[in-house]
Amino acid sequence: MYRTILAHQTWTFPALKVLLAKASPARSGDLLAGVAATSDEERMAARLALADVPLKTFLNEALIAYEDDEVTRLIIDGHDAGAFAAIAHLTVGEFRDWLLDDATTADVLTAVAPGITPEMAAAVSKLMRNQDLILAASKCRVVTRFRNTIGLPGHLSVRLQPNHPTDDLQGIAASMLDGLLYGSGDAVIGINPASDSLPALEKLNIMLDEVISRFEIPTQSCVLTHITNTMALMERGAPVDLVFQSIAGTEAANRSFGINLALIEEAHQAALELGRGTLGDNVMYFETGQGSCLSAGAHHGVDQQTCEARAYAVARRFRPLLVNTVVGFIGPEYLYNGKQIIRAGLEDHFCGKLLGLPLGCDICYTNHAEADQDDMDTLLTLLGAAGVSFIMGIPGADDIMLNYQSTSFHDALYIRRLLGLKHAPEFGNWLTKMGILNSSGLLLPAPPTHPLLRVITDGELA
């Protein structure tokens, strides 16, 4: 039982998960689930009570029963007590102050990360303003490697997303090479396929591998199909770089995706055995999003942001190259408008980085949400300042296969120019060698005879 007094009224919260939900900023998903605060007064009372909760409480009061949920077991069994010792004496409110203290440096945060549970991260985020989320996240450093180096300070990578509604190879190649000529693609060249056909998926993998090999591009590819399809592709000898899977923060939600921790582990080991990385062995690519547990009816009464943070425990277990919160993709039933999407994006990035993950963000919205591209510009700028690991690069910011709005190749140029952010170093050197960037890192116009353009005009990948 948790209590506080506000405005001469005693507020009572019967359980930790209730307290966390009531302390959350307002969002449509929590209202839909019936767990949100019923007033601003109740929300503030919950935050006052939450600030006084010792961090140790989260190790003793599981939001979802240990016996019923393998994600809970992963969080508890994998907790690093030694790393936690440095902050074990703090309350949630004191933890916020500690995170914002100048003495809490990047090295300190890296050392403590294994001792922070997702619930602790979610709890402290509920006490933070947007500027707090940005400042604290900007101090976190998470570096991963496969064929290049992602996450270095002062760098920003881009996932080149050349989707096509019919998986047409020539159409995908056109978008892909367009993105490369704008300097996108150092996070990954990742296709969301329209088909689950293994022969079609294999063709996509082969085409991506041919382009990367032919032009010696220091990047990695991924076809974002279900993990079981990727395992089948590896068995067929397809050139698989990264293994993709959408993940969530409860066992039941992951079951709705057709996965569990054992299956992810099997795929992880299979990808490691391929040994396709030249600089590192971070071989997994995960995507998440607030609302996934609720949409599957698998949230156990836990608020959607805390469920999202629990998904990061799943990701952390498998040392991914990339984790992407597709923040506005699920729709306005969960994040109603631009204000809620912006807040969720900053929360997700902060929590992921605090837990030691290479967090990127698909800064996006669906066409029936109360949001527009100005909201995306705002979130892009804030995440750039917060040190986001990567963003999306989509032709015109309009995904013609998934039918949602995201960020474009031009948006990546904007945020790099504004904040002086560089490409992954190996990829940046390749762009300069290919005459795409000049020696100052600025984009050059591509002549009609550029070798990347000839691939399209000659129809070599049709």
Side-chain angles (χ1 to χ4, degrees):
M1 189 76 69
Y2 300 88
R3 290 188 177 91
T4 193
I5 297 174
L6 177 65
H8 307 293
Q9 180 177 350
T10 298
W11 298 83
T12 301
F13 307 94
L16 187 56
K17 70 179 180 182
V18 175
L19 180 63
L20 287 168
K22 299 294 187 180
S24 289
R27 64 202 60 200
S28 52
D30 289 339
L31 289 170
L32 179 66
V35 302
T38 57
S39 67
D40 289 337
E41 289 83 2
E42 185 180 27
R43 182 173 296 109
M44 184 53 67
R47 289 175 180 171
L48 289 171
L50 181 60
D52 290 333
V53 174
L55 291 181
K56 290 180 180 178
T57 302
F58 294 94
L59 301 176
N60 300 317
E61 185 177 343
L63 305 188
I64 303 171
Y66 181 94
E67 298 78 12
D68 298 337
D69 186 88
E70 69 172 359
V71 177
T72 298
R73 293 193 290 274
L74 174 68
I75 293 168
I76 298 300
D77 295 346
H79 183 250
D80 188 329
F84 180 62
I87 56 172
H89 61 291
L90 300 177
T91 64
V92 176
E94 291 167 342
F95 187 34
R96 172 192 174 273
D97 295 341
W98 181 86
L99 288 169
L100 297 173
D101 194 310
D102 288 340
T104 305
T105 62
D107 289 342
V108 171
L109 289 169
T110 298
V112 169
I116 301 172
T117 69
E119 292 86 353
M120 294 175 194
V124 74
S125 76
K126 297 175 192 300
L127 305 183
M128 301 174 89
R129 290 172 54 186
N130 286 359
Q131 64 175 253
D132 300 335
L133 298 172
I134 293 166
L135 181 60
S138 73
K139 297 196 289 183
C140 298
R141 292 286 171 259
V142 183
V143 178
T144 56
R145 294 178 175 88
F146 188 78
R147 292 200 188 100
N148 58 23
T149 306
I150 296 170
L152 293 171
H155 292 68
L156 171 71
S157 294
V158 176
R159 172 189 159 189
L160 204 173
Q161 185 170 307
N163 295 343
H164 192 279
T166 64
D167 289 339
D168 178 75
L169 294 183
Q170 191 74 353
I172 289 171
S175 294
M176 176 173 58
L177 299 177
D178 183 33
L180 289 170
L181 289 168
Y182 275 106
S184 291
D186 47 347
V188 63
I189 302 174
I191 299 170
N192 297 93
S195 170
D196 283 331
S197 160
L198 284 181
L201 296 173
E202 188 169 25
K203 287 181 181 178
L204 293 176
N205 272 279
I206 291 171
M207 186 268 282
L208 291 173
D209 184 63
E210 287 179 349
V211 173
I212 289 173
S213 298
R214 174 174 175 176
F215 294 102
E216 298 179 329
I217 308 173
T219 191
Q220 37 282 328
S221 68
C222 186
V223 176
L224 282 71
T225 186
H226 193 269
I227 196 168
T228 54
N229 289 335
T230 304
M231 293 168 70
L233 289 169
M234 287 190 280
E235 291 175 359
R236 292 165 67 109
V240 172
D241 286 346
L242 304 183
V243 174
F244 165 80
Q245 183 56 49
S246 294
I247 56 173
T250 71
E251 178 180 345
N254 284 325
R255 189 185 309 121
S256 76
F257 291 159
I259 61 169
N260 55 36
L261 298 180
L263 181 64
I264 300 174
E265 176 61 29
E266 184 180 352
H268 182 223
Q269 291 302 318
L272 288 173
E273 289 172 7
L274 296 178
R276 292 177 58 83
T278 55
L279 294 184
D281 63 353
N282 300 117
V283 297
M284 305 300 288
Y285 176 20
F286 295 118
E287 288 193 343
T288 67
Q290 287 194 28
S292 58
C293 290
L294 175 57
S295 68
H299 61 295
H300 297 271
V302 178
D303 70 90
Q304 68 180 38
Q305 189 252 333
T306 302
C307 283
E308 170 72 4
R310 283 169 54 93
Y312 302 153
V314 177
R316 181 165 63 174
R317 165 67 181 80
F318 301 102
R319 302 187 304 108
L321 181 76
L322 308 165
V323 180
N324 179 32
T325 170
V326 193
V327 66
F329 184 74
I330 301 181
E333 299 83 3
Y334 307 96
L335 296 170
Y336 179 71
N337 56 19
K339 179 180 177 66
Q340 293 186 9
I341 291 171
I342 290 167
R343 173 69 189 191
L346 295 176
E347 289 170 347
D348 294 352
H349 179 252
F350 162 77
C351 288
K353 284 291 182 62
L354 190 61
L355 293 168
L357 287 173
L359 235 291
C361 185
D362 190 341
I363 301 163
C364 64
Y365 63 99
T366 57
N367 289 310
H368 62 309
E370 291 293 323
D372 58 29
Q373 216 64 35
D374 285 338
D375 295 313
M376 301 305 100
D377 288 348
T378 300
L379 181 53
L380 171 62
T381 306
L382 296 177
L383 284 172
V388 70
S389 294
F390 67 99
I391 61 171
M392 301 296 109
I394 298 171
D398 182 7
D399 192 299
I400 60 173
M401 195 281 280
L402 294 173
N403 293 308
Y404 78 113
Q405 309 304 310
S406 184
T407 47
S408 70
F409 308 139
H410 301 80
D411 294 329
L413 294 177
Y414 149 74
I415 197 66
R416 283 191 170 122
R417 178 71 64 84
L418 178 70
L419 299 178
L421 300 173
K422 300 177 182 178
H423 300 80
E426 303 84 0
F427 190 82
N429 292 338
W430 177 82
L431 290 172
T432 302
K433 183 183 74 172
M434 293 293 291
I436 297 171
L437 298 182
N438 66 17
S439 58
S440 299
L442 300 179
L443 193 70
L444 293 169
T449 56
H450 195 283
L452 288 173
L453 287 174
R454 288 205 305 270
V455 171
I456 290 298
T457 56
D458 295 345
E460 295 181 22
L461 298 177

